[in-house]
């Protein structure tokens, strides 16, 4: 039977895990065996740069945390060497994307399970999540979508002006007048 101090330390570790997972929109649990220290160091640096906390955990501690969070089906994946990557930002794709890419080049490194917005997802769904564009790319796509109609209009107006040749002044004043009327 562990002494009271060890038991309290373990309870504090589980409570800390629970709090981190609750505050994280997404995370991935991996089997990290067979990777070198150099590879692990590079992986940790990539994760840290993307706002992802990566931590090696004991299966029993993570099982207690998963139980407290109500993550059904999580425990069956907790065997062997285990590490968890938890997003510390709003980017839910980052942990899955980085770890899936790493797993492609390291045959012993396996994705076990993940979670997204408080729900457990299997390794196949983690892989699907990894294929989505990242947060920055999604923002760029949305902004491009907003700007495209305006760009199209500017290009079309420029072509009309170029085509008008000598009558550019008349055309420009007509377009400006029409725009002012439309604005009123």
């Amino acid at each position: 039977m562990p002494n009271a101090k060890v038991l309290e330390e373990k309870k504090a570790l589980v409570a800390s895990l629970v709090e981190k997972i609750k505050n994280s929109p997404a995370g991935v649990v991996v089997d990290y065996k067979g990777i070198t220290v150099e590879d692990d160091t590079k992986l940790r640096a990539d994760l840290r740069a993307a706002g992802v906390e990566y931590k090696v955990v004991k299966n029993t501690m993570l099982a207690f945390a998963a139980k407290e969070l109500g993550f059904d089906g999580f425990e069956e994946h907790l065997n062997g060497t285990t590490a968890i990557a938890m997003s510390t930002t709003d980017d839910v794709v980052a942990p899955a994307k980085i770890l899936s890419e790493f797993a492609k080049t390291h045959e012993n490194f396996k994705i076990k399970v993940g979670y997204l917005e408080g729900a457990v997802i299997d390794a196949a769904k983690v892989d699907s999540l990894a294929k989505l564009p990242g947060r920055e790319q999604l923002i760029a796509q949305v902004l491009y979508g907003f700007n495209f109609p305006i760009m199209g209009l500017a290009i079309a107006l420029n072509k009309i002006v170029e085509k008008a040749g000598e009558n550019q002044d008349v055309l420009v004043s007509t377009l400006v007048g029409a725009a002012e009327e439309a604005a009123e």
Side-chain angles (χ1 to χ4, degrees):
M1 181 91 176
N3 68 29
K5 182 180 178 188
V6 172
L7 193 57
E8 287 304 314
E9 288 173 357
K10 288 182 178 183
K11 284 181 180 178
L13 177 64
V14 170
S16 172
L17 268 172
V18 167
E19 195 60 33
K20 286 179 181 181
I21 293 170
K22 275 184 183 176
N23 293 327
S24 170
V28 178
V29 177
V30 297
D31 183 346
Y32 66 90
K33 73 176 169 240
I35 64 171
T36 65
V37 172
E38 182 180 343
D39 287 340
D40 187 55
T41 303
K42 183 180 178 333
L43 174 63
R44 287 174 184 269
D46 291 345
L47 289 166
R48 199 171 20 259
V52 178
E53 182 178 346
Y54 181 77
K55 182 179 184 90
V56 172
V57 293
K58 290 188 175 192
N59 290 319
T60 53
M61 298 298 113
L62 190 52
F64 283 128
K67 186 176 182 179
E68 191 171 323
L69 289 162
F71 283 1
D72 296 328
F74 212 75
E75 272 187 61
E76 65 193 54
H77 301 283
L78 300 179
N79 49 46
T81 56
T82 301
I84 185 168
M86 301 166 282
S87 181
T88 59
T89 66
D90 290 338
D91 191 354
V92 297
V93 176
K97 188 175 283 294
I98 294 169
L99 294 172
S100 290
E101 285 299 315
F102 190 82
K104 288 178 185 175
T105 58
H106 298 81
E107 69 180 64
N108 291 331
F109 190 89
K110 302 276 187 253
I111 292 176
K112 295 180 177 186
V113 69
Y115 64 91
L116 178 63
E117 301 294 339
V120 177
I121 58 174
D122 62 15
K125 287 184 182 167
V126 171
D127 190 47
S128 295
L129 187 62
K131 293 176 183 170
L132 292 174
R135 183 175 184 267
E136 298 300 320
Q137 188 176 356
L138 285 172
I139 291 171
Q141 288 173 346
V142 168
L143 292 176
Y144 180 78
F146 286 146
N147 286 334
F148 185 76
I150 296 168
M151 273 187 348
L153 177 63
I155 291 169
L157 290 175
N158 190 40
K159 291 290 184 192
I160 291 170
V161 169
E162 286 175 2
K163 212 174 197 182
E166 297 173 4
N167 300 328
Q168 284 182 2
D169 293 335
V170 173
L171 181 63
V172 169
S173 64
T174 303
L175 289 173
V176 168
E180 289 173 347
E181 285 179 26
E184 294 174 354

